[in-house]
Amino acid sequence: MKTTVRIVAFIGFAIMIAPLIAVIVNAFNANVLLSNWGGFTTHWFTDAVDDSGVRSAAGQSVEIAALVTALSAVIGTLAVAFNAYAPRWVQRLTSSLTITRVMVPEVIMAAGLVLLMPKLGFTFGIVVLGQTVWAVAFFIAILGARRAGFDRRLEDAGRDLGASAWRVLGTIVLPDLLPGIIAGALLTFTFSFDDVVTTVFLSGASTMTLPTTILARIRRGITPEINAVGVLVMLVTIILLALATVVSGQLVPGQEGTEI
Amino acid sequence: MSTGGVRLESATKRYGEFTAVSEIDLQIPGGSYYCLLGPSGSGKSTILRLIAGLETLTAGRVLIGDADVSTVPANRRPVHTVFQSYALFPRMSVFDNVAYGLRAQRAGSRGEIAARVHGALAQVRLAGSEDRRPAQLSGGMQQRVALARALVNRPDVLLLDEPLGALDLKLRREMQDELVRLQRESETTFVHVTHDQEECFACASEVAVMRLGAIEQVGRPRDVYRHPATEFAAAFLGSANILAATIVSGRGDGVYRVRWDGGELDAGGPPGLGGDRAAALVIRPEELEVAAAPVDGDGWLDGTLLDLLEAASTVRLRIAVRGLQLLAERSASDVGAFAVGDSVAVRVTPGGGWLVDSAPSATGIAQPPSDEPARAGGRP
């Protein structure tokens, strides 16, 4: 029994990381055709960094991800902070809408956005807005969990002591939410940075991000350079995820003071 | 000069179908130490939140001093709250906690605020703890910070929601004295919510006994204890033997001839109960005399000692008498002669009975009505 479980777990894990291993190994493969191992090289990384198409795509990706993250963080934080004051039915409605947006296949969301935005043309701004529509849902889902654990009596205490709703938000609620906001922002950044579907639907040919560039080039055949780009993207994602984990884990709510 | 009082007029609070507070009229005199006493679910905390403005009334009015504040938001009402388990801001130092209200209301320059914070902390004997975090303080110290945080703003009314519930007994007794001292010094109206009748006796100049969202009785604790208006008030404020009885006749001066399972006696009661009808006879445990051997005399009843519960200075005796169980309380020095299972004699002290109007369903056991948690213990 125990061994069977272990074997199944091992196979499952192997299947999960096999594609990543393949990309990483081939990023260092000197054989252009990638048909077999041609020796170790870092040549493809220099190629990738020197490639103007890759560089501009990377720039686009960072710009879009930064804007999407900023928008999501502001909208999401306000939504989470104030949703708690809304009547119960509003809270239930907004939380099911948020979950729906997280669950509904991105293709459908993207198709819907295309329908809504034909007149506006396919531009950089539309990509940012389109990604924000679903990125903010992820952000709210992440931050909402932290808000739900917040001791509401502290807000009562703030109000009771004469602070306005905004002051209570700024001095009591936001300081407590801050680690969640940072973690949520880092995750939102990786979601946006990796996004293909919404970007492809809304950008046409004019806005090329790193993932859409990889996709476009893979159609013409996988090159070692693409693998190198893939490894770089992976690195960025892993670093951001690690940061998010550290931030949200380290600054766990200051509940030590409110214990009874 | 003491601060203004609080008045509730037909105050009602409903949450959907549930009525937490039902058409309450309450007058809390300015400068008094007022206690709202009741079991959980009686609506006492809701009343506090209505006065604070943290809940809005479904119907009725709240007045503080002479001003109708029914629609004034919490942050503009001249009241402050000491919350149950304190709700101190965990990320702020003690100083910042206490300064919070002054800063929010821009109550002065930095220097003035600092002076008032230090003053308030000195008043609750916490000078020197300014830089500590709430989590670094003991429960009693957190309680004092919560008091200072509210009092430093010089509210007209200080609301205390089960303020001592989280403290151990010794500390609770100390804090009771401290609260009374602070109330006198600050000449502020205190409204103190509790389910602990002992706290109520120790602190309050006036008490409202609450039950199921309504006020059962209002008065000085001692008066409510001696002359309860209902079975519930009798059982909740102190312990009581509540016995089914019949009023034989009324003399018109608040004294009635009463027949109960133990015979006949004279008992006090509210005027106008009339004669020849059922009522409940309330006998406080200390109004039962107990003798170690059967006594052949007027009013003495034979019984068996079922149980003996010793406290420091008193002892409680549970005695079976004519199919009833009676609870008696005597001084501990009287008790050497008793042993469980002994035959004893019991008598109601002359004038030791009190009548309340009631349905004739009382069973003769010292128990509060069944829809509320039993709290027969504790010494008034």
Side-chain angles (χ1 to χ4, degrees):
Chain A
M1 172 66 194
K2 218 169 174 182
T3 16
T4 326
V5 171
R6 276 185 190 158
I7 291 167
V8 171
F10 180 78
I11 294 172
F13 189 66
I15 291 172
M16 278 200 310
I17 63 163
L20 300 181
I21 304 266
V23 169
I24 293 167
V25 169
N26 282 314
F28 296 99
N29 191 349
N31 181 348
V32 188
L33 298 174
L34 302 176
S35 50
N36 49 37
W37 185 248
F40 179 85
T41 178
T42 53
H43 179 68
W44 309 123
F45 285 89
T46 12
D47 271 13
V49 172
D50 288 342
D51 185 323
S52 66
V54 170
R55 288 171 72 136
S56 84
Q60 278 292 22
S61 282
V62 170
E63 246 175 275
I64 290 172
L67 281 168
V68 168
T69 304
L71 274 175
S72 303
V74 172
I75 297 168
T77 302
L78 289 176
V80 167
F82 283 110
N83 193 39
Y85 304 122
R88 272 291 153 72
W89 68 270
V90 175
Q91 291 190 29
R92 259 184 241 135
L93 184 71
T94 50
S95 82
S96 30
L97 278 177
T98 304
I99 291 167
T100 312
R101 270 188 299 166
V102 174
M103 301 299 284
V104 163
E106 207 187 332
V107 181
I108 295 169
M109 287 294 289
L113 287 168
V114 170
L115 288 173
L116 279 175
M117 300 177 174
K119 296 258 164 59
L120 299 167
F122 297 118
T123 64
F124 175 82
I126 296 301
V127 173
V128 170
L129 284 179
Q131 284 195 9
T132 304
V133 169
W134 60 258
V136 79
F138 278 98
F139 187 91
I140 288 173
I142 293 163
L143 195 60
R146 195 182 176 88
R147 173 67 163 151
F150 182 76
D151 184 354
R152 298 298 305 272
R153 292 173 315 132
L154 297 181
E155 286 166 75
D156 284 347
R159 300 279 290 156
D160 183 77
L161 288 166
S164 65
W166 285 104
R167 194 182 177 94
V168 168
L169 185 71
T171 55
I172 298 168
V173 181
L174 282 187
D176 190 79
L177 292 183
L178 194 59
I181 294 171
I182 295 171
L186 289 167
L187 290 175
T188 307
F189 190 92
T190 68
F191 290 144
S192 166
F193 193 75
D194 293 348
D195 180 66
V196 176
V197 178
T198 307
T199 316
V200 166
F201 270 70
L202 295 177
S203 69
S206 58
T207 308
M208 293 299 279
T209 64
L210 217 42
T212 56
T213 306
I214 294 173
L215 188 65
R217 295 202 183 177
I218 280 178
R219 292 219 182 92
R220 285 181 265 132
I222 295 182
T223 65
E225 192 194 326
I226 288 301
N227 286 323
V229 173
V231 169
L232 293 175
V233 171
M234 239 188 272
L235 270 178
V236 171
T237 310
I238 288 168
I239 289 169
L240 290 179
L241 279 178
L243 267 179
T245 316
V246 170
V247 169
S248 59
Q250 219 169 42
L251 305 167
V252 196
Q255 270 147 3
E256 59 286 355
T258 55
E259 70 191 352
I260 300 164
Chain B
M1 245 283 300
S2 60
T3 59
V6 179
R7 201 156 84 235
L8 297 181
E9 293 176 355
S10 320
T12 299
K13 178 65 183 176
R14 276 190 285 273
Y15 301 96
E17 298 282 287
F18 174 69
T19 304
V21 170
S22 172
E23 300 234 359
I24 279 185
D25 290 299
L26 185 65
Q27 175 91 46
I28 298 174
S32 66
Y33 197 129
Y34 205 94
C35 187
L36 296 173
L37 179 73
S40 52
S42 60
K44 56 194 195 304
S45 287
T46 307
I47 289 187
L48 217 58
R49 291 176 66 82
L50 287 169
I51 298 172
L54 297 167
E55 303 284 350
T56 49
L57 282 164
T58 311
R61 298 205 303 163
V62 186
L63 293 93
I64 295 169
D66 292 320
D68 183 348
V69 296
S70 307
T71 57
V72 176
N75 54 330
R76 301 222 193 87
R77 292 193 189 188
V79 303
H80 295 302
T81 306
V82 174
F83 288 85
Q84 196 172 6
S85 59
Y86 325 134
L88 299 176
F89 305 127
R91 291 169 184 281
M92 298 180 198
S93 67
V94 168
F95 182 93
D96 289 340
N97 262 282
V98 178
Y100 190 88
L102 296 174
R103 286 173 179 159
Q105 293 162 59
R106 300 199 169 75
S109 67
R110 285 174 66 112
E112 285 161 3
I113 288 176
R116 277 175 72 175
V117 171
H118 290 304
L121 284 171
Q123 199 181 14
V124 297
R125 297 174 188 155
L126 268 182
S129 297
E130 282 84 351
D131 295 331
R132 298 170 76 180
R133 298 273 162 149
Q136 297 171 303
L137 303 176
S138 69
M141 290 165 92
Q142 290 183 23
Q143 161 75 68
R144 287 158 197 270
V145 176
L147 272 168
R149 184 176 71 172
L151 280 174
V152 73
N153 304 292
R154 297 180 194 139
D156 285 354
V157 181
L158 183 75
L159 307 172
L160 303 115
D161 190 2
E162 303 265 3
L164 310 179
L167 304 178
D168 60 52
L169 187 62
K170 185 169 178 296
L171 210 49
R172 207 171 342 162
R173 294 239 165 94
E174 283 172 29
M175 283 309 294
Q176 287 168 0
D177 298 342
E178 185 107 0
L179 285 173
V180 172
R181 176 180 69 83
L182 285 169
Q183 197 268 334
R184 289 208 184 111
E185 280 176 12
S186 62
E187 298 185 318
T188 303
T189 311
F190 274 32
V191 184
H192 179 140
V193 156
T194 182
H195 60 258
D196 184 343
Q197 38 120 351
E198 190 191 340
E199 230 167 273
C200 181
F201 268 104
C203 299
S205 52
E206 215 169 320
V207 58
V209 180
M210 294 202 55
R211 178 197 191 190
L212 302 174
I215 289 171
E216 197 86 355
Q217 188 175 4
V218 170
R220 287 170 53 224
R222 178 61 49 192
D223 292 341
V224 174
Y225 182 77
R226 287 176 51 177
H227 299 147
T230 63
E231 279 184 49
F232 178 82
F236 203 78
L237 197 69
S239 27
N241 297 290
I242 298 172
L243 306 157
T246 309
I247 301 172
V248 179
S249 63
R251 293 205 325 233
D253 55 355
V255 178
Y256 299 87
R257 189 69 188 164
V258 179
R259 186 168 56 243
W260 65 297
D261 290 353
E264 282 196 12
L265 53 74
D266 287 332
L273 279 181
D276 196 20
R277 53 164 296 193
L281 176 64
V282 175
I283 300 167
R284 296 294 180 184
E286 65 273 18
E287 301 291 354
L288 279 175
E289 287 175 52
V290 186
V295 177
D296 207 19
D298 188 32
W300 285 94
L301 304 164
D302 293 342
T304 311
L305 182 60
L306 297 175
D307 215 347
L308 200 148
L309 298 151
E310 286 193 65
S313 59
T314 61
V315 62
R316 305 197 132 207
L317 306 158
R318 211 152 51 83
I319 300 160
V321 176
R322 301 199 181 176
L324 301 172
Q325 282 187 18
L326 299 180
L327 186 68
E329 183 173 272
R330 306 308 304 170
S331 163
S333 55
D334 294 352
V335 85
F338 295 111
V340 173
D342 280 1
S343 290
V344 294
V346 181
R347 173 172 89 145
V348 180
T349 320
W354 179 257
L355 281 172
V356 300
D357 197 358
S358 106
S361 60
T363 54
I365 302 176
Q367 260 181 4
S370 59
D371 59 339
E372 307 293 351
R375 282 190 61 84
R379 203 173 59 84

